[in-house]
């Protein structure tokens, strides 16, 4: 879900119930973003074209300046005006489809998109991100942002589907730009993808996780010796090839058990186990409970109420 916010200083919006992943982009003007509800916490500055990725469901505040007190608190679909000033009253005035603010000249223009990302596959993505990652403006992300901004205020058939795909594009480009920056927090598997041998093997494992892969088969596909491939894969990814494959299979299985009505045997086959008992043993070793217990204790996700 994407919203465009147009705010004239002074302004400050607190999001009390965030979705698991939020994309905030500053199209024009500047903003500050602070995690948590401590006004003294460190803030990050966003210039025009910058993208912030907020991972986690805790509160965060976006404002024109860190010193501006919260004017509006947004919790799900509920908006509470904290400071009954003209700016606060106008903060969520509807200007057009999916566009809110006061629309005055000199205002900061932002896009905010929310992702649910519930499930184990989503958790793997969230686990690689810090609570707040800022991607500076760049020539690879700006065209996608401009296209998303051009579409967000339109109200045409199928518009939500168009916006969802454009937001996906912005997210992927932002993640790619963030992962490409040097730093210890970057995920090891991203560097591994750039390696011809290991990157190709990762794509094979993700593309066909149910296949009976062996280290020898992966090494042959990569065109290197078994020993050299195993050492290089472990060094770049952080775990041996078949250990990584088992973890990925269990991630897929956890979501299938929660989100579908497929039997345990059917789920086992989908992730590469011909024997449901062997699958159950592997799943319990990974998740601490049997597949049936996991399914009964999991709640299928519903739509996140925030926008």
């Amino acid at each position: 879900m994407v919203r465009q916010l147009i705010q004239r200083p002074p302004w400050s919006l607190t999001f009390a119930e965030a979705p698991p992943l939020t994309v905030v982009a500053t199209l024009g003007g500047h903003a500050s973003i602070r995690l948590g509800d401590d006004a003294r916490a460190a803030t990050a500055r966003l210039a025009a074209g910058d993208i912030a990725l907020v991972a986690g469901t805790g509160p965060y505040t976006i404002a024109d300046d860190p010193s501006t007190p919260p004017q509006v608190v947004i919790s799900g679909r509920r908006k509470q005006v904290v400071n009954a000033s003209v700016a606060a009253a106008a903060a969520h005035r509807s200007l057009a489809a999916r566009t809110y603010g006061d629309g005055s000249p000199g205002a900061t223009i932002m896009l905010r998109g929310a992702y649910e990302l519930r499930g184990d596959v989503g958790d793997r993505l969230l686990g690689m991100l810090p609570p707040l990652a800022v991607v500076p403006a760049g020539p690879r992300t700006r065209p996608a942002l401009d296209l998303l901004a051009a579409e967000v205020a339109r109200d045409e058939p199928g518009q939500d589907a168009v916006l969802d795909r454009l937001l996906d594009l912005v997210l992927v480009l932002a993640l790619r730009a963030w992962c490409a920056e040097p730093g210890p927090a970057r995920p090891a598997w991203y560097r591994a993808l750039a390696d011809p041998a290991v990157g190709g093997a990762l794509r094979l494992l993700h593309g066909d996780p149910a296949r009976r892969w062996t280290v020898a088969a992966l090494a042959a596909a990569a065109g290197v010796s078994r020993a050299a491939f195993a050492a290089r894969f472990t060094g770049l990814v952080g775990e041996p090839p078949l250990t990584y494959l088992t973890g990925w299979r269990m991630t897929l299985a956890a979501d299938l058990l929660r989100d579908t009505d497929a039997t345990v045997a059917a789920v086992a086959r989908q992730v590469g186990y011909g024997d449901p008992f062997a699958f159950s043993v592997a799943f319990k070793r990974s998740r601490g409970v049997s597949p049936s217990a996991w399914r009964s204790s999991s709640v299928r996700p519903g739509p996140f109420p925030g926008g």
Side-chain angles (χ1 to χ4, degrees):
M1 185 175 293
V2 186
R3 295 289 183 264
Q4 183 170 233
L5 307 175
I6 303 176
Q7 305 294 335
R8 179 170 55 87
W11 59 271
S12 179
L13 308 175
T14 294
F15 295 86
E17 295 179 6
L21 178 62
T22 304
V23 180
V24 178
T26 308
L27 301 179
H30 66 273
S32 71
I33 183 166
R34 181 184 72 243
L35 301 184
D37 47 19
D38 184 354
R40 298 168 296 178
T43 62
R45 300 287 292 182
L46 300 177
D50 290 353
I51 301 172
L53 304 177
V54 183
T57 56
Y60 66 93
T61 298
I62 310 174
D64 66 308
D65 187 88
S67 62
T68 303
Q71 298 171 341
V72 176
V73 176
I74 301 167
S75 179
R77 295 187 181 275
R78 302 183 302 276
K79 303 175 181 68
Q80 176 187 359
V81 176
V82 178
N83 183 344
S85 65
V86 174
H92 267 70
R93 178 183 302 152
S94 179
L95 300 175
R98 309 174 191 83
T99 300
Y100 303 89
D102 61 15
S104 302
T108 296
I109 304 174
M110 297 174 294
L111 293 176
R112 178 180 178 271
Y115 280 91
E116 294 179 30
L117 287 182
R118 294 185 172 102
D120 275 42
V121 173
D123 287 344
R124 286 174 73 101
L125 171 61
L126 294 175
M128 83 174 195
L129 289 172
L132 175 62
V134 176
V135 179
R140 300 185 70 179
T141 55
R142 187 68 205 217
L145 282 179
D146 290 342
L147 183 57
L148 181 57
E151 290 287 338
V152 72
R154 296 182 180 176
D155 196 11
E156 300 177 0
Q159 196 66 17
D160 285 340
V162 171
L163 292 173
D164 287 346
R165 300 294 78 76
L166 289 176
L167 181 62
D168 290 346
L169 175 61
V170 169
L171 175 61
V172 170
L173 292 175
L175 287 171
R176 182 188 293 172
W178 180 77
C179 288
E181 290 292 323
R186 275 36 178 188
W189 59 258
Y190 185 83
R191 296 190 298 272
L193 284 173
D195 183 87
V198 178
L202 284 171
R203 294 181 183 93
L204 290 173
L205 295 177
H206 282 256
D208 190 6
R211 183 172 172 178
R212 292 188 176 182
W213 292 108
T214 64
V215 176
L218 292 169
V224 296
S225 71
R226 183 185 184 281
F229 169 77
R232 189 159 187 80
F233 189 103
T234 303
L236 288 175
V237 178
E239 56 186 344
L242 298 187
T243 302
Y244 179 88
L245 174 59
T246 298
W248 179 238
R249 284 172 167 174
M250 295 304 105
T251 295
L252 296 175
D255 284 351
L256 287 169
L257 288 166
R258 180 183 51 245
D259 300 336
T260 75
D261 294 323
T263 64
V264 171
V267 170
R269 288 192 297 272
Q270 289 187 63
V271 298
Y273 287 82
D275 181 2
F277 178 76
F279 165 71
S280 296
V281 170
F283 190 90
K284 187 171 184 179
R285 186 183 302 120
S286 172
R287 293 297 187 269
V289 295
S290 69
S292 298
W294 173 270
R295 167 170 278 169
S296 63
S297 65
S298 298
V299 178
R300 296 189 182 185
F304 189 81

